[in-house]
Amino acid sequence: MENKYPQKPGLDFILKQAFFYWNKTLVFQLMFSIIYFAIFFTSMFFFASRFGIFDQQQELIDAYKISMDAYIAKAAELGKTENSRYFSYALLATLIFLYPLNLGFFQIFRKLDLKENIEIGDLFTGYNGTNFFRYISYALFWFVIYGVTINTLILPFVWVCITIFVAPIMFFMNKTIFESISLNFKALKMYFLEIVVCVMVAVIFKYIGFALFFVGALFTFPFWNAMIYSLYKTIFSEKE
C-alpha cells in the first residue's frame, strides 16, 4: 500500500472524530472494560496469592506503623525477593495477553466507517489466527522498552508517541513492527503538535473515569483506541 500525508487537519476535527467513534460504540467500550478488568484482576489476585504477595503487604503495614523510613526499607527489601519478581512477570504476561483486545476496536471503527454491521466477535479480532502472535510479540517488545524507560521523566511519553500508530499500521497495512515504527516516526515529525496534544487528551480522558467511583472508567478506559484511530485515519491514506 502507498502512504501519503494530506494537508494538516485541525485539532478540533481529530478530537471530535475520536469522541464520535467512542460515543457510537459505548456498548463495546463497556464490554471491553468488563472483560479487561475481569481478566486482569483475576490474574492479579491469583498470582498475588500464589506468590505470597498478600503476606508481604502485611509486612509493609507493620513497617509503616514503625516509621516511613522502615516502610521504604521494607518495600525495597521485598521488591528484590524472588516471589516479587515472579509476580511482576505474571502481571506483565497478563498485560501482554490482553493487548490484542485493543485491536478489536480498529475493526469496529472501520466497520462503522463502511456502515457494516458490528458484531461482538469483532472485539476479539486481535486474537484471530496469526493476529494473536503478531500482536503479543509487539506488546512484549513495547512493554520491555517502556519498562526500561519508566524511571525517566520524559522517555515513556516519547516512546508512546513514537509507537502510537504501530498497531493500526500493522493491522490495516500489514507492515512489520519496524516498518510501522518508521512510518510512525515520519508522521510524528509532520504532525508533532497534533499527536502530542491528542495523546495528552486521550490519557486524561482515559483515566478520568476512575474519579467517578470506578464506574465511569468502564466507559472511558478504552477511549485511547478511538483517539488513535481518529489520528491514524486523518493522517494516513491507504491506497492500493
Side-chain angles (χ1 to χ4, degrees):
M1 290 186 176
E2 179 184 342
N3 312 304
K4 65 180 181 179
Y5 303 95
Q7 185 178 0
K8 284 190 176 184
L11 270 171
D12 57 339
F13 173 78
I14 297 173
L15 293 172
K16 287 178 182 178
Q17 187 173 237
F19 279 101
F20 168 80
Y21 288 121
W22 174 74
N23 185 58
K24 285 291 185 179
T25 57
L26 284 178
V27 173
F28 292 95
Q29 307 287 330
L30 179 61
M31 291 175 59
F32 173 97
S33 295
I34 291 174
I35 294 169
Y36 189 99
F37 288 123
I39 294 175
F40 178 80
F41 285 117
T42 298
S43 175
M44 184 182 72
F45 284 115
F46 173 80
F47 288 111
S49 176
R50 173 69 176 80
F51 296 118
I53 301 302
F54 293 129
D55 295 333
Q56 292 185 4
Q57 294 304 310
Q58 185 57 51
E59 292 183 49
L60 287 173
I61 293 173
D62 293 339
Y64 181 76
K65 291 178 180 178
I66 298 173
S67 68
M68 180 56 69
D69 290 338
Y71 174 85
I72 294 174
K74 176 59 70 172
E77 175 189 337
L78 293 176
K80 297 177 181 177
T81 63
E82 189 175 69
N83 279 350
S84 292
R85 290 199 301 272
Y86 288 153
F87 178 66
S88 298
Y89 296 153
L91 285 187
L92 176 60
T94 302
L95 291 173
I96 291 171
F97 173 78
L98 287 170
Y99 180 78
L101 196 61
N102 293 281
L103 276 296
F105 277 115
F106 298 145
Q107 173 85 344
I108 290 170
F109 297 147
R110 177 54 58 89
K111 280 194 168 184
L112 198 60
D113 287 340
L114 299 175
K115 295 180 171 54
E116 296 179 357
N117 291 329
I118 301 173
E119 303 172 350
I120 295 177
D122 292 328
L123 196 58
F124 303 98
T125 298
Y127 294 93
N128 293 341
T130 58
N131 280 350
F132 175 70
F133 299 101
R134 291 186 72 204
Y135 298 121
I136 63 169
S137 297
Y138 169 63
L140 175 60
F141 168 72
W142 192 93
F143 279 111
V144 167
I145 302 299
Y146 186 82
V148 171
T149 64
I150 192 65
N151 292 325
T152 64
L153 182 62
I154 191 66
L155 288 182
F157 183 80
V158 172
W159 180 238
V160 169
C161 291
I162 290 175
T163 58
I164 189 172
F165 299 121
V166 171
I169 290 173
M170 290 174 63
F171 186 70
F172 291 118
M173 300 183 185
N174 198 30
K175 300 291 186 181
T176 66
I177 293 174
F178 294 106
E179 287 175 336
S180 301
I181 291 176
S182 176
L183 289 171
N184 194 137
F185 189 71
K186 291 177 182 178
L188 182 61
K189 289 192 296 183
M190 183 172 289
Y191 296 88
F192 179 79
L193 179 61
E194 290 84 352
I195 292 172
V196 169
V197 172
C198 287
V199 166
M200 293 175 65
V201 171
V203 170
I204 293 171
F205 189 77
K206 177 178 180 178
Y207 292 104
I208 200 171
F210 287 98
L212 303 175
F213 305 101
F214 189 80
V215 176
L218 296 177
F219 293 97
T220 63
F221 184 71
F223 174 73
W224 175 256
N225 296 297
M227 184 66 79
I228 292 175
Y229 183 78
S230 178
L231 277 165
Y232 169 82
K233 178 187 173 183
T234 305
I235 293 174
F236 291 90
S237 177
E238 301 163 13
K239 184 178 180 181
E240 296 291 346

